[in-house]
Amino acid sequence: MHDADLIAQLLRLLAAGLLLISFAMLSRRRTQRLITLYAWQGAILFLSTCLVAYGEGLRELYYSAALTLILKVILLPWILHRLIHRLGAQWDSEPLVNIPATMLVGLVLVIFAFGLAQPISMLATTITRHTIGIALAVILLSFMMMITRRKAMTQVIGFLAMENGLFFAATSTTYGMPMVIELGIALDMLVAVFILGIFFFQIREQFDSLDLHHLEKLRED
Amino acid sequence: MTVAPSISAVVAVVSRNDLNAILLLLGVWAALGFAGLARPRSVGYVARLLFPIGAVTCLGIALLAGIFLASGQGAQSLILPIGLPDLPFHLRLDPLSGFFLLLLGLAGAGISTFAAGYFRSGEGTAPGLLGLQYHVFLASMGVVILANDAYLFMVAWETMALSSYFLVTSQHRIPEIRRAGFLYLLMAHLGAVCILFSFGTMSAGNWQLTFDAMRGNTLSPGWATVAFVFALLGFGAKAGLVPMHVWLPEAHPAAPSPVSAMMSGLMLKTAIYAMLRVSFDLLHARSWQWGVVVLVLGLFSALFGAVFAAVQTDMKRLLAYSSIENIGLIFAGIGLALLFEASNLRLFAALALTAALIHALNHSFFKSLLFLATGSVLHATKQRSLGKLGGLIRSMPWVAALALVGTLAIAGLPPLNGFVSEWLLLQSFLFTPQIPHAFINMLIPLGAAALALTVALAAYVMVKFYGVIFLGQPREPLLTHAHDANWLERIGLMWLAAGCVTIGVLPQFALRAAGDVTGMLLGQSIAPVTSLWSIAPIAPQQASYSGLIFLAGIVAVIAVTFVVVRLLAHGRVRRTAAWDCGYPWQTSRMQDTAEGFGQPIRHMFGTFFRMERALPSPTDAEPRYRIQIEDRVWRALYLPVARSLQWLADEVSVVQSGRLAVYLLFSFLTLLALLVFVL
């Protein structure tokens, strides 16, 4: 085999990058920067999947990596950029809680995720098993980003980032999901982005803004 | 060239056993339903072609079920490899299902024939869609009766509930009908949940859903009671047992008349069937307390239904309450049979069960007949309120004559069928020997008294029903132009009326069929029929009944009277006011009304009702008398439940802040909690 140790090291490096990007996402204010970060996340996923495929000689994973490249690095960021321009919403998106506090909560979540992943990574036999904790942390951080934001656009980016975390978790525990499921999820995401895009226009039409606190009016008393 | 082999294949399948043939006919129903979608707007195609074919299919099913019962074969079963993987459909034909298939086919034939003439264009749902729902409804009832595993049973049971829901709401533009449909659906679902619990208990935790496995399970008496109570709640809700009856007086009037006839005549019987299946076939550890509960509930429902029927002013609501009464009588029979069986009095158990079965059969005939007759009246007059009908015997002689047969039958007069079953039921009360429970021994005569009271009240109700609609003078000028039923409707009514007369005059055949069922369920049937002339349930020296002699006596009396009046007296026919008391300016408004006729009952049984009356003052120029009669059960049982549910929902709605971040936080915390739990 190839130098398995080197590949494992590289994978850990990439995983650390993924985690770093998640933290960056938590602290970024501008939506456009968030989309760029999302694309970077996709790129790292692509690289790590390729590495696993190369290291283990799994052809299927190459397809999955190609799918990641096309969808998450090129297509979805492009669609999101266009959406933002069409909506004229290139500018701000401020977090609800101040940034240092958010980062601290994020740190706690990462520690929690690592503690959680320990028994699972004992069970797994893959070369990537040490990154399960990071995958979980990415999921939780993206979820937290959805909670702290109030613009519709950033919610969607948080949602997509969460899917990235799930994908990474799947590659690191079992070398990816069956192809059918992966294709299904990819299609789902594409459709979800389209539908949510339509929702953006509807929301803006209704409230003249994409701020989600307007939706509170919809509550029935 | 491919036709001949396929026909011979069909014949081979059919001749192998009756179950396959019956399944094939059920398939014909489903096919007819979908065939209606080809030209959904065409009344001529759907009503005049498909419905008569459906009626012939009904007859075929009745014939096959009759042959099966007469042949005395054992049970036939079949496994169809369709449905979910690893859960094939099990079907079984035994005397119990054969008897109810016979009922379904015989009464269904009459209703389908009538429906062929009844459906017109421009009334609510398109005819093709109605035809689909109608035939799916019929087929699902057939499958319910044949199902031999809980899974198929529930699928068919829910199909039955849904298809009948759509039939009830076929005129869904009227808000009351939508409300009635919703109530029906709600009760049907509550019942289905109870039935599911019952089957779950009976499967005893080994996840075998076939009835064969359930028969093999030996439950402890406690668990058996749990299963029985859930079954009683679930099937009681479908059958309309008090206090689960609230949907019945709403849904039956809302539906088109053939559908009311199907629901009352056939669908309620599937609940009876299922109750018998569960309590006598699937459960073994029966205790006498069950019998007491069912008996008391049944008798109370019967009395309740009769009293409420007496004060109704809407003809279809009246019949709906009368259905509650009859279902109560059937349940009383079942309860008595359970009680006797648990006390090891098998012969008397067989007698009570026979009475219940025959009454179920009878009810499907005369109640369908009466509901269909109200359909004809409704079409001819556009009136459902008894206060605006009257005198229809002159403009609708056919319907009036045939409805009279049904009225007399449901009132329990010999020589018609209602008498036979009510007489049998009374026999089983009166000939009760000592039961080893002192209190129950005291209860039985009381039950007999309640039964007699109910039957008498039912007769009173029927006098009101027939008298107000068909006799007297028309209360509205429009009624004089009412047209009679068309020929298809007449055939349907005649078929059902003929059934009422046949079972009444020659009850031997029905007794024979019911004997097969009691033989299967109890290992005992009442005294074998020895002669064509009379039936004697226990012993000829104690009590016997001969329909033929009764019929002969009645015919003789009528003939003699006719001859005497015609030949010896004047022989002229005069038409004149019967009692004008020297008061020349009579109008049709001076007749006794439905409200007036029910007033004594309303007075005597005042505690049953919740009444709101608005009396006019003496100085009123336009006096109006308004009375609203409500069910106490509604306020005592259902409204508190609804109110507490509303309160609970209000309390829970505190968490509904409307902020997306809060909702996300909920799922986030749930996720964390679950992860910690896994850890």
Side-chain angles (χ1 to χ4, degrees):
Chain A
M1 277 310 283
H2 312 279
D3 195 355
D5 204 34
L6 179 68
I7 290 176
Q9 293 283 346
L10 276 175
L11 274 175
R12 279 181 215 173
L13 184 69
L14 289 174
L18 207 59
L19 190 62
L20 202 66
I21 291 177
S22 293
F23 269 104
M25 275 182 153
L26 265 184
S27 61
R28 279 295 115 174
R29 282 169 187 275
R30 279 184 53 188
T31 317
Q32 264 185 327
R33 299 286 301 161
L34 279 175
I35 295 172
T36 317
L37 283 173
Y38 173 71
W40 274 112
Q41 226 179 19
I44 288 181
L45 267 184
F46 164 67
L47 280 179
S48 68
T49 318
C50 280
L51 260 179
V52 174
Y54 174 70
E56 295 291 308
L58 292 166
R59 273 190 62 185
E60 263 198 18
L61 275 184
Y62 281 119
Y63 298 131
S64 144
L67 197 67
T68 312
L69 182 69
I70 294 168
L71 193 68
K72 290 176 182 165
V73 185
I74 302 169
L75 197 58
L76 281 178
W78 181 72
I79 293 174
L80 288 173
H81 269 297
R82 282 208 47 181
L83 254 179
I84 286 191
H85 280 282
R86 290 274 298 279
L87 289 163
Q90 294 96 322
W91 308 111
D92 208 302
S93 80
E94 74 254 27
L96 288 176
V97 193
N98 59 4
I99 293 169
T102 318
M103 297 300 244
L104 281 176
V105 176
L107 270 181
V108 174
L109 281 180
V110 172
I111 293 166
F112 174 77
F114 271 87
L116 199 69
Q118 207 147 34
I120 306 174
S121 50
M122 294 294 182
L123 291 174
T125 52
T126 55
I127 52 165
T128 46
R129 61 194 158 148
H130 300 293
T131 53
I132 296 170
I134 291 183
L136 260 177
V138 171
I139 296 172
L140 293 179
L141 287 175
S142 316
F143 207 149
M144 205 177 99
M145 179 189 144
M146 284 177 80
I147 293 174
T148 52
R149 302 303 174 104
R150 49 195 292 181
K151 294 278 182 198
M153 200 69 196
T154 36
Q155 301 280 329
V156 174
I157 295 169
F159 170 73
L160 291 173
M162 205 156 80
E163 202 277 335
N164 273 350
L166 279 174
F167 184 82
F168 194 60
T171 359
S172 46
T173 42
T174 60
Y175 292 140
M177 294 171 271
M179 208 58 199
V180 186
I181 298 180
E182 234 161 70
L183 278 173
I185 293 177
L187 192 67
D188 274 355
M189 283 183 34
L190 205 59
V191 173
V193 169
F194 273 115
I195 292 174
L196 289 170
I198 296 167
F199 274 156
F200 293 158
F201 284 104
Q202 292 292 329
I203 292 172
R204 200 186 52 165
E205 190 121 320
Q206 205 75 56
F207 300 112
D208 283 332
S209 129
L210 279 173
D211 208 327
L212 287 177
H213 77 257
H214 292 294
L215 291 183
E216 287 171 36
K217 286 182 211 152
L218 297 178
R219 178 174 177 258
E220 201 179 324
D221 287 313
Chain B
M1 69 190 188
T2 54
V3 174
S6 63
I7 288 179
S8 64
V10 166
V11 169
V13 165
V14 168
S15 57
R16 203 165 70 225
N17 65 22
D18 303 321
L19 181 53
N20 286 347
I22 289 174
L23 270 184
L24 206 67
L25 290 181
L26 293 181
V28 170
W29 270 338
L32 282 177
F34 286 104
L37 293 181
R39 290 171 64 193
R41 296 257 152 225
S42 161
V43 176
Y45 168 65
V46 174
R48 309 287 184 266
L49 178 68
L50 296 183
F51 272 84
I53 298 177
V56 172
T57 313
C58 283
L59 278 184
I61 284 185
L63 193 68
L64 285 170
I67 290 173
F68 171 76
L69 283 175
S71 69
Q73 299 173 29
Q76 302 172 350
S77 39
L78 185 70
I79 297 176
L80 287 183
I82 47 178
L84 292 179
D86 287 340
L87 272 175
F89 288 157
H90 296 74
L91 294 136
R92 184 176 132 119
L93 178 67
D94 56 17
L96 179 61
S97 40
F99 182 84
F100 279 89
L101 277 179
L102 185 69
L103 181 157
L104 177 72
L106 285 178
I111 299 172
S112 283
T113 315
F114 181 91
Y118 183 82
F119 288 123
R120 326 238 149 131
S121 55
E123 286 186 2
T125 314
L129 213 52
L130 271 181
L132 173 67
Q133 293 155 1
Y134 182 95
H135 287 108
V136 167
F137 186 31
L138 269 178
S140 61
M141 284 194 280
V143 177
V144 162
I145 292 170
L146 285 174
N148 197 30
D149 66 280
Y151 167 55
L152 176 60
F153 183 92
M154 288 312 294
V155 169
W157 186 262
E158 289 293 282
T159 312
M160 183 175 89
L162 278 181
S163 52
S164 56
Y165 165 76
F166 285 115
L167 284 169
V168 165
T169 53
S170 65
Q171 294 189 334
H172 52 84
R173 295 194 200 288
I174 304 171
E176 286 96 68
I177 287 183
R178 283 204 301 273
R179 190 180 157 273
F182 176 74
L183 185 63
Y184 169 52
L185 200 62
L186 188 69
M187 291 306 287
H189 278 304
L190 279 180
V193 169
C194 290
I195 296 166
L196 215 53
F197 282 149
S198 174
F199 283 138
T201 314
M202 276 188 286
S203 69
N206 59 11
W207 298 109
Q208 288 291 310
L209 292 174
T210 59
F211 286 171
D212 288 330
M214 290 181 194
R215 269 182 212 108
N217 287 336
T218 41
L219 295 176
S220 71
W223 282 114
T225 305
V226 170
F228 177 78
V229 167
F230 274 125
L232 184 63
L233 285 175
F235 297 126
K238 189 59 118 192
L241 208 59
V242 177
M244 287 89 78
H245 67 284
V246 284
W247 63 272
L248 218 139
E250 306 294 328
H252 281 183
S257 291
V259 177
S260 315
M262 285 240 283
M263 288 174 74
S264 187
L266 306 179
M267 189 184 76
L268 303 189
K269 305 307 176 306
T270 60
I272 304 284
Y273 158 79
M275 196 66 216
L276 290 175
R277 173 70 73 195
V278 168
S279 46
F280 285 99
D281 189 19
L282 300 186
L283 291 172
H284 304 298
R286 290 183 280 271
S287 60
W288 60 271
Q289 285 96 335
W290 300 1
V292 177
V293 170
V294 175
L295 178 62
V296 169
L297 272 180
L299 282 175
F300 184 73
S301 299
L303 192 59
F304 182 93
V307 168
F308 266 86
V311 298
Q312 297 306 313
T313 53
D314 175 322
M315 59 182 177
K316 291 182 83 175
R317 267 180 96 89
L318 182 147
L319 290 181
Y321 274 110
S322 158
S323 286
I324 297 177
E325 175 232 319
N326 282 287
I327 287 295
L329 291 182
I330 295 169
F331 267 90
I334 296 175
L336 214 53
L338 277 168
L339 181 58
F340 289 149
E341 208 265 346
S343 312
N344 229 355
L345 300 163
R346 289 187 178 273
L347 181 60
F348 293 94
L351 176 59
L353 196 58
T354 305
L357 286 170
I358 305 260
H359 198 68
L361 182 63
N362 292 342
H363 183 244
S364 67
F365 274 100
F366 51 59
K367 189 49 64 67
S368 307
L369 174 56
L370 290 179
F371 263 122
L372 296 180
T374 62
S376 289
V377 170
L378 199 58
H379 258 177
T381 64
K382 310 273 178 290
Q383 269 316 330
R384 264 174 36 189
S385 166
L386 290 172
K388 296 189 173 167
L389 292 166
L392 288 177
I393 196 168
R394 275 185 283 288
S395 49
M396 307 179 75
W398 277 92
V399 176
L402 293 167
L404 182 64
V405 176
T407 312
L408 293 178
I410 201 169
L413 294 183
L416 294 167
N417 60 353
F419 175 79
V420 176
S421 49
E422 284 169 8
W423 180 73
L424 283 174
L425 194 56
L426 207 58
Q427 294 291 319
S428 53
F429 269 105
L430 294 179
F431 283 120
T432 304
Q434 288 296 306
I435 299 176
H437 309 288
F439 279 114
I440 307 306
N441 270 329
M442 286 184 256
L443 184 87
I444 297 285
L446 263 180
L451 177 70
L453 176 63
T454 306
V455 173
L457 277 173
Y460 184 89
V461 169
M462 283 305 133
V463 171
K464 167 177 165 173
F465 175 79
Y466 195 81
V468 175
I469 296 178
F470 292 106
L471 303 182
Q473 297 295 322
R475 289 181 176 78
E476 298 278 317
L478 223 63
L479 299 186
T480 46
H481 307 299
H483 57 86
D484 208 346
N486 61 28
W487 62 274
L488 274 168
E489 293 179 323
R490 279 182 211 167
I491 292 177
L493 292 174
M494 273 194 280
W495 170 262
L496 293 168
C500 290
V501 176
T502 312
I503 300 174
V505 174
L506 293 168
Q508 287 85 342
F509 300 113
L511 277 180
R512 168 89 208 280
D516 286 347
V517 181
T518 55
M520 170 199 152
L521 295 180
L522 302 166
Q524 169 90 50
S525 46
I526 57 173
V529 183
T530 44
S531 78
L532 192 64
W533 285 102
S534 65
I535 54 169
I538 303 293
Q541 60 271 25
Q542 278 184 313
S544 65
Y545 160 73
S546 165
L548 277 177
I549 292 175
F550 255 106
L551 184 66
I554 288 170
V555 168
V557 168
I558 291 177
V560 167
T561 316
F562 184 78
V563 167
V564 167
V565 170
R566 248 325 165 19
L567 297 182
L568 302 183
H570 46 75
R572 295 186 308 278
V573 176
R574 283 187 304 146
R575 198 166 268 182
T576 175
W579 309 100
D580 60 1
C581 299
Y583 186 73
W585 298 288
Q586 289 197 351
T587 71
S588 59
R589 286 265 152 234
M590 293 176 184
Q591 300 172 89
D592 197 359
T593 57
E595 289 85 354
F597 203 85
Q599 198 274 339
I601 301 293
R602 210 165 64 214
H603 195 72
M604 279 184 271
F605 294 91
T607 44
F608 273 75
F609 315 114
R610 197 183 159 280
M611 280 189 278
E612 274 174 26
R613 249 188 305 199
L615 295 173
S617 76
T619 53
D620 238 337
E622 280 188 356
R624 277 194 171 277
Y625 172 79
R626 225 187 101 263
I627 182 159
Q628 193 162 8
I629 296 168
E630 278 179 24
D631 212 334
R632 274 189 191 280
V633 177
W634 188 250
R635 268 165 199 274
L637 188 66
Y638 288 87
L639 283 188
V641 171
R643 236 179 267 129
S644 50
L645 213 60
Q646 179 70 47
W647 175 82
L648 207 65
D650 286 344
E651 293 296 303
V652 169
S653 74
V654 171
V655 300
Q656 186 200 11
S657 60
R659 287 177 61 181
L660 210 56
V662 176
Y663 295 160
L664 283 172
L665 195 65
F666 285 146
S667 17
F668 189 62
L669 291 179
T670 314
L671 177 66
L672 285 189
L674 284 176
L675 285 174
V676 169
F677 178 72
V678 173
L679 198 67

